[in-house]
Amino acid sequence: MIYKCKAIDDKNYSLIEKLSYIIFQVINEHSKEEDEVKIPLLVYVSREKRPSHHHNFKAGALNVLLRVSAMISNSPYILMLDCDMYCNDPTSVRQAMCYYCDPQTPSSIAFVQFPQTFRNICQDDIYDSQIRHLFKILWHGFDGVGGPAISGSNLYIKREALLGSFSKQQELMALKRSFGPSNDFIKTLVEEYKPGFINDGESSRMLLEKANVLASCSYENQTSWGSTVGFLYFCVVEDYFTGFTLHRKGWKSVYLYPKKPQFLGTATTNFNEVSIQWTRWASGLTSVAISKFCPLIYGPLKMSWVQFMCYSELAFMPLLNCLSLWGFAFIPQLCLFNDIPLYPKVSDSSFNIFLIIFVSAILKSLYEVVTTGGQVRTWRNDWRIWMMRSITSYFYGSLDVVLNKLGMKEASFLPTNKVIDDEQVKLYEMGIFDFRAATTFLAPLVTVILVNIAAFVRALVVNVVDNDRDGYWEKMFGQMFLSFYILVSNYTVIEGMIIRRDKASIPLYVTLLSGVFSLCILLIGSAILS
């Protein structure tokens, strides 16, 4: 059965924009015969959207499902899965329920999070599509201080944590101000509600009509949905912000990482889509970091010191990484290009401080990769894509938030495209970068490489021509090594610029455009430093 409701919008919109549908489709109902195997009830929901109402991205869809599912099943626990994920082990629900039902575990557990695992990851994983640092390192640490944040998918969450618990004595009008005008939905909050689907196993048109009201785009007007109720709308990373708010309220979470993947999905396997995805995440995290909900000021009184510092580290990660990487990619090189020593001489004892910091950072990241089942080449690929991501995605995501705060730009993001392209998949499996990406992502990478090449080559020429006059090598070794390290680590970009000539290489016009940018940076830098 399919139930549709046509919504007529403002007259200023075209005819296509006026036709907005809510669709409920009962895929199957409970078996009527006692000897038949009962198949779980499956209902498809498509919410209403109109140009005049913001749909609030994924969080808006989740809140519609929260309301509609309350009318149909009102289950106290909900499994959240992205559309490209599927359950690989049906025992995952039993593992999650062990925490909810065990009398020795606290009743304040809001959700049980499983890692995101993917079936299409190649051996090298050159784009870090599996996000290994998050799911194999950070979330394990989070689990020891109250539990990880919501990761968008692969979790069992308690309905009460999102909606709250209420008694029959609760004032009806107060509930309506928070949850909307539907009396039927209010009943699911304060009573032992038994949906019609569960009682008689037959779809009820009346019940579908009630659910239709809950899925309308205007239902949330003048309510608390998205602000204090359900999944929160403050930023595009609704999972992070909702998890942060739940932990701030005193709820806890659990991170489970079984040997057998409980859920499998499809990861992005090309540079352009990975960059878009991380730009969206960076924008959401930065919008929390520079708002009144900043974990540094919003968390201390309600969370443990370690927990709010973990959330702070995540929130400020895009901003701090992009600033530091842009600084390391240009400032030492501009000083090197203009013969200005920035670090102590190699013979100076204070040089050891910089050496220890650099080596310890490398060894720490290498240790984390190796101890979580990776290899040296895995570390190399992760380190390289982290540098690329900081220069591009983290920068654009942070810039988007700053412009939005200044009223110069409105945030707008598209869902990640995971449509399989055979040619891209072949390159990915071979461990070859596909540079068929937007110029906005390629130009910064090429510009950084060209500036470092210019600074390093000039330093070599000066050192050879002047025959190490005045100990030039000893004074400039730190900056020369940094440029050399950046070039070696990002040899893939150099290869895409100069060596490769296939369709997935870096286009010539991008290299020429980046050359102009590099020349401007060198000239402006020289003028300032001189």
Side-chain angles (χ1 to χ4, degrees):
M1 173 175 22
I2 300 179
Y3 183 71
K4 295 182 180 180
C5 172
K6 183 172 71 173
I8 303 299
D9 207 341
D10 191 270
K11 294 181 180 179
N12 294 327
Y13 291 102
S14 65
L15 178 62
I16 295 178
E17 291 174 323
K18 291 179 182 178
L19 301 179
S20 178
Y21 291 99
I22 304 172
I23 302 177
F24 293 98
Q25 182 176 3
V26 181
I27 308 299
N28 66 275
E29 300 181 24
H30 289 299
S31 305
K32 298 180 180 179
E33 302 296 332
E34 293 184 0
D35 58 344
E36 291 184 10
V37 177
K38 290 187 176 181
I39 301 176
L41 180 67
L42 181 60
V43 180
Y44 172 80
V45 180
S46 177
R47 61 174 169 151
E48 180 187 25
K49 291 183 181 179
R50 299 187 200 178
S52 57
H53 292 77
H54 198 295
H55 56 76
N56 293 305
F57 305 107
K58 181 179 177 180
L62 289 171
N63 283 337
V64 167
L65 291 176
L66 271 177
R67 296 192 294 269
V68 172
S69 64
M71 300 299 300
I72 296 176
S73 68
N74 204 31
S75 169
Y77 303 100
I78 302 167
L79 169 61
M80 277 183 57
L81 285 180
D82 281 344
C83 61
D84 59 334
M85 285 280 182
Y86 66 89
C87 184
N88 188 52
D89 186 353
T91 65
S92 64
V93 63
R94 183 192 306 160
Q95 297 180 53
M97 289 304 111
C98 284
Y99 287 91
Y100 286 122
C101 301
D102 190 344
Q104 296 182 357
T105 58
S107 59
S108 59
I109 292 178
F111 59 92
V112 177
Q113 178 70 60
F114 290 87
Q116 291 191 25
T117 46
F118 306 97
R119 56 183 174 81
N120 62 330
I121 300 295
C122 73
Q123 187 175 9
D124 284 344
D125 190 19
I126 53 178
Y127 306 120
D128 188 27
S129 299
Q130 61 182 327
I131 323 175
R132 57 174 292 117
H133 182 68
L134 188 76
F135 293 114
K136 292 194 175 184
I137 298 171
L138 292 185
W139 261 214
H140 285 289
F142 244 126
D143 196 38
V145 291
I150 296 175
S151 304
S153 181
N154 304 358
L155 70 145
Y156 291 90
I157 189 166
K158 187 183 293 185
R159 187 183 294 270
E160 179 187 344
L162 295 169
L163 302 179
S165 59
F166 306 92
S167 63
K168 294 182 179 181
Q169 289 74 33
Q170 198 82 19
E171 184 185 352
L172 179 62
M173 293 308 297
L175 291 175
K176 283 190 174 184
R177 283 193 294 270
S178 294
F179 294 97
S182 173
N183 290 327
D184 297 290
F185 179 76
I186 300 298
K187 291 179 182 179
T188 68
L189 299 173
V190 299
E191 296 181 6
E192 292 292 334
Y193 181 75
K194 295 181 180 179
F197 282 105
I198 303 300
N199 287 340
D200 53 25
E202 295 183 359
S203 58
S204 167
R205 184 177 183 83
M206 184 177 296
L207 187 59
L208 288 177
E209 289 176 352
K210 295 175 182 178
N212 170 75
V213 174
L214 297 172
S216 64
C217 59
S218 60
Y219 180 82
E220 296 181 358
N221 292 347
Q222 307 301 319
T223 69
S224 298
W225 285 99
S227 57
T228 58
V229 173
F231 290 89
L232 307 183
Y233 298 156
F234 177 71
C235 63
V236 292
V237 284
E238 76 294 323
D239 47 3
Y240 168 87
F241 188 61
T242 302
F244 172 55
T245 304
L246 289 177
H247 281 126
R248 189 176 177 274
K249 291 179 179 178
W251 289 97
K252 299 184 181 299
S253 59
V254 174
Y255 186 53
L256 281 181
Y257 201 121
K259 291 183 178 180
K260 180 179 180 180
Q262 302 298 292
F263 303 94
L264 287 175
T266 304
T268 49
T269 55
N270 65 82
F271 180 65
N272 188 60
E273 294 300 330
V274 168
S275 299
I276 292 174
Q277 187 178 57
W278 275 98
T279 301
R280 182 172 68 251
W281 292 342
S283 176
L285 292 173
T286 305
S287 64
V288 176
I290 60 175
S291 72
K292 65 178 181 179
F293 299 111
C294 173
L296 289 176
I297 58 177
Y298 194 62
L301 298 179
K302 298 290 185 178
M303 307 168 72
S304 69
W305 187 84
V306 178
Q307 189 175 29
F308 85 76
M309 288 301 293
C310 289
Y311 270 106
S312 301
E313 193 272 338
L314 284 177
F316 284 96
M317 177 183 65
L319 192 61
L320 295 179
N321 283 355
C322 77
L323 290 177
S324 60
L325 263 293
W326 275 100
F328 278 114
F330 285 121
I331 295 176
Q333 290 74 10
L334 290 175
C335 292
L336 177 63
F337 191 80
N338 291 276
D339 300 334
I340 301 174
L342 197 61
Y343 300 113
K345 295 181 179 180
V346 177
S347 59
D348 194 329
S349 59
S350 58
F351 180 82
N352 294 330
I353 299 175
F354 294 90
L355 180 62
I356 291 172
I357 292 174
F358 178 80
V359 173
S360 61
I362 298 294
L363 293 178
K364 174 182 174 292
S365 61
L366 180 60
Y367 171 79
E368 290 175 342
V369 170
V370 173
T371 54
T372 54
Q375 301 176 356
V376 175
R377 64 178 179 181
T378 307
W379 165 80
R380 178 201 63 192
N381 294 333
D382 286 0
W383 192 263
R384 178 179 60 204
I385 196 65
W386 170 74
M387 287 192 283
M388 292 182 175
R389 188 185 297 153
S390 300
I391 291 294
T392 56
S393 299
Y394 290 167
F395 171 71
Y396 288 125
S398 302
L399 181 64
D400 179 84
V401 174
V402 173
L403 294 178
N404 180 255
K405 294 290 184 182
L406 296 175
M408 300 172 61
K409 184 180 183 297
E410 184 178 352
S412 178
F413 295 99
L414 296 175
T416 305
N417 180 21
K418 294 186 179 180
V419 177
I420 297 176
D421 182 287
D422 292 337
E423 186 177 356
Q424 290 179 338
V425 170
K426 185 178 180 180
L427 289 173
Y428 173 71
E429 292 176 346
M430 294 170 61
I432 300 175
F433 254 78
D434 187 347
F435 287 109
R436 284 174 292 186
T439 304
T440 51
F441 291 123
L442 295 179
L445 296 177
V446 179
T447 301
V448 167
I449 293 300
L450 292 177
V451 169
N452 276 268
I453 288 176
F456 184 73
V457 170
R458 184 187 180 283
L460 285 179
V461 171
V462 170
N463 189 47
V464 171
V465 171
D466 289 354
N467 195 22
D468 197 25
R469 180 173 54 86
D470 298 329
Y472 182 87
W473 173 264
E474 190 178 18
K475 290 190 298 183
M476 297 297 183
F477 174 78
Q479 289 152 264
M480 291 181 66
F481 176 79
L482 182 60
S483 289
F484 178 75
Y485 179 78
I486 290 175
L487 295 174
V488 171
S489 299
N490 294 276
Y491 172 75
T492 299
V493 180
I494 301 175
E495 185 182 42
M497 292 165 47
I498 302 173
I499 301 176
R500 290 172 53 184
R501 288 293 179 266
D502 55 279
K503 292 190 295 184
S505 62
I506 296 176
L508 179 60
Y509 75 88
V510 174
T511 303
L512 295 176
L513 179 64
S514 301
V516 174
F517 290 154
S518 303
L519 183 61
C520 292
I521 291 172
L522 291 171
L523 291 176
I524 294 173
S526 299
I528 294 174
L529 294 173
S530 61

